[in-house]
């Protein structure tokens, strides 16, 4: 095994070899080097496990759950949340996605490209906190929901399950 790959994966030797999670991360790094683009995508709403659009992630591998990204989560009132910049933390999950999956998610999020005026969301890079440490992730954020109600917990699944809606 290449020492650089192990170091870049953020894992060291464990008794009996590398952990399964570490091996997955090393394989992901090797796929990237082989020209198979993979992206770490932070999802916080309807793409989370058990939510209505989770199936769009296909065979994408769960990298970390829970994970948190700095920002404010809001209830848009349309059955899905949005994340915007601000003080607070948004709870979600991180998946390793390929180009094809990322294109499906771009379509769902009405993302046409960086800075395109048709975008409902912008796809940006942020730092996520996980149980394994910090990592850079892609995340969709939007400033189009200025009047939306903040979700104090920062957790869409918890918010949805408690049945609390804006103004309650």
């Amino acid at each position: 095994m290449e020492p650089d790959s192990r170091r870049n994966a953020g894992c060291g030797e464990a008794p009996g070899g590398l952990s399964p999670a570490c091996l997955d991360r090393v394989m992901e790094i090797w796929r990237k080097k082989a020209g198979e683009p993979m992206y770490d995508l932070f999802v916080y709403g309807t793409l989370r496990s058990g939510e209505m659009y989770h199936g769009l992630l296909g065979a994408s591998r769960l990298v970390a759950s829970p994970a948190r990204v700095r920002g404010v989560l809001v209830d848009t009132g349309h059955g899905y949340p949005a994340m915007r910049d601000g003080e607070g933390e948004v709870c979600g999950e991180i998946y390793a996605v390929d180009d094809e999956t990322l294109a499906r998610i771009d379509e769902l999020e009405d993302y046409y490209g960086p800075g395109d005026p048709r975008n409902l969301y912008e796809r940006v890079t942020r730092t996520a906190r996980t149980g394994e440490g910090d990592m850079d992730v892609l995340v969709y954020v939007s400033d189009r929901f200025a009047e939306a109600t903040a979700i104090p917990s920062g957790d869409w699944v918890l918010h949805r399950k408690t049945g609390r809606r804006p103004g309650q």
Side-chain angles (χ1 to χ4, degrees):
M1 174 179 305
E2 296 177 25
D4 283 347
S5 294
R6 188 173 53 242
R7 184 173 44 253
N8 290 340
C11 46
E13 294 292 338
L18 299 176
S19 71
C22 182
L23 282 174
D24 284 346
R25 189 72 178 142
V26 168
M27 290 306 297
E28 187 176 316
I29 290 169
W30 282 352
R31 280 194 302 272
K32 285 181 182 179
K33 287 181 179 181
E36 296 178 34
M38 298 294 288
Y39 309 92
D40 291 321
L41 178 66
F42 177 80
V43 299
Y44 53 82
T46 60
L47 287 164
R48 286 178 66 183
S49 180
E51 295 298 303
M52 77 173 120
Y53 292 118
H54 181 72
L56 291 177
L57 292 169
S60 299
R61 184 178 62 79
L62 178 65
V63 174
S65 178
R68 294 196 171 272
V69 171
R70 180 177 214 82
V72 175
L73 191 66
V74 298
D75 187 331
T76 66
H78 301 290
Y80 57 88
M83 182 177 144
R84 61 182 179 221
D85 289 330
E87 295 299 315
E89 284 191 326
V90 176
C91 183
E93 303 159 352
I94 301 170
Y95 290 86
V97 301
D98 58 18
D99 282 323
E100 182 179 318
T101 303
L102 194 60
R104 281 195 305 268
I105 306 307
D106 284 347
E107 185 174 339
L108 173 70
E109 304 294 3
D110 287 332
Y111 175 76
Y112 298 93
D116 191 302
R118 299 172 294 168
N119 289 345
L120 181 58
Y121 291 85
E122 289 291 333
R123 188 178 67 204
V124 298
T125 301
R126 295 287 188 265
T127 300
R129 286 190 312 116
T130 75
E132 302 295 318
D134 292 352
M135 61 188 295
D136 289 336
V137 295
L138 296 177
V139 62
Y140 293 89
V141 300
S142 182
D143 61 2
R144 301 265 180 117
F145 302 99
E147 301 300 316
T149 303
I151 298 171
S153 68
D155 187 329
W156 172 252
V157 173
L158 177 65
H159 174 74
R160 190 181 59 72
K161 286 182 179 176
T162 61
R164 299 186 70 195
R165 293 291 172 246
Q168 289 185 330

